[in-house]
């Protein structure tokens, strides 16, 4: 008879216990410094950050766009921002690029930023509160 794998015993350590999304977000966000809307705006204006809007089309159409932000659907993000990738965007020039990922409210963007870190984009971050915080801060929207 086999014992169930719990992930918390001594064993081989290969199996991890399930993690809820709130805990996962906390762990992910502990790995980098998130950025506030005004800071993101100033960094983009200074040419020190590439703003990347990963919201889906219906939200962009409903709420507008951040001027100068690169629009990349979430399911294409890694392919478009990998500086070594064959499908990279022209803006994806190096692994030292400071990328600020923007989703609608600042949740999906955290997971996306972590994914970019795994590709070697160690300056990737996300916008606290997402597009809605940007808009509420009175920053430019078209």
């Amino acid at each position: 008879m086999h014992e169930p794998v719990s992930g918390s015993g001594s064993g081989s350590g290969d199996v991890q216990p399930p993690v809820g999304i709130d805990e996962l977000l906390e762990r992910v966000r502990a790995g980098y410094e998130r950025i506030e809307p005004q800071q993101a705006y100033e960094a983009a204006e200074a040419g020190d950050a590439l703003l990347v809007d990963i919201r889906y089309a219906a939200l962009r159409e409903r709420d507008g766009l951040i001027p100068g932000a690169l629009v990349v659907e979430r399911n294409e993000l890694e392919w478009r921002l990998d500086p070594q990738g064959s499908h990279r965007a022209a803006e994806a020039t190096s692994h030292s690029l400071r990328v600020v990922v923007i989703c609608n409210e600042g949740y999906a963007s955290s997971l996306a930023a972590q994914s970019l870190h795994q590709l070697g984009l160690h300056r990737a971050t996300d916008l606290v509160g997402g597009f809605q915080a940007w808009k509420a801060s009175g920053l430019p929207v078209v």
Side-chain angles (χ1 to χ4, degrees), residues 71-94:
V71 174
V72 177
E73 296 284 337
R74 173 62 191 99
N75 63 327
E76 297 178 359
L77 184 68
E78 292 81 0
W79 285 266
R80 304 289 288 145
L81 291 183
D82 178 2
Q84 298 174 337
S86 59
H87 299 318
R88 73 174 181 83
E91 294 86 348
T93 55
S94 79

Side-chain angles (χ1 to χ4, degrees), residues 52-73:
V52 179
D53 186 344
I54 63 168
R55 295 174 300 141
Y56 54 89
L59 289 177
R60 295 191 311 266
E61 291 168 10
R62 181 189 78 188
D63 295 336
L65 298 168
I66 296 172
L70 176 65
V71 174
V72 177
E73 296 284 337

Side-chain angles (χ1 to χ4, degrees), residues 5-91:
V5 178
S6 68
S8 59
S10 52
S12 67
D14 292 339
V15 178
Q16 297 294 318
V19 175
I21 189 61
D22 293 330
E23 184 178 341
L24 178 61
L25 277 174
E26 188 176 312
R27 289 180 186 181
V28 164
R29 290 172 174 170
Y32 63 91
E33 188 175 332
R34 301 179 79 207
I35 191 168
E36 295 288 336
Q38 187 64 40
Q39 294 170 295
Y41 172 76
E42 291 169 5
E45 286 292 301
D48 185 43
L50 174 64
L51 304 181
V52 179
D53 186 344
I54 63 168
R55 295 174 300 141
Y56 54 89
L59 289 177
R60 295 191 311 266
E61 291 168 10
R62 181 189 78 188
D63 295 336
L65 298 168
I66 296 172
L70 176 65
V71 174
V72 177
E73 296 284 337
R74 173 62 191 99
N75 63 327
E76 297 178 359
L77 184 68
E78 292 81 0
W79 285 266
R80 304 289 288 145
L81 291 183
D82 178 2
Q84 298 174 337
S86 59
H87 299 318
R88 73 174 181 83
E91 294 86 348

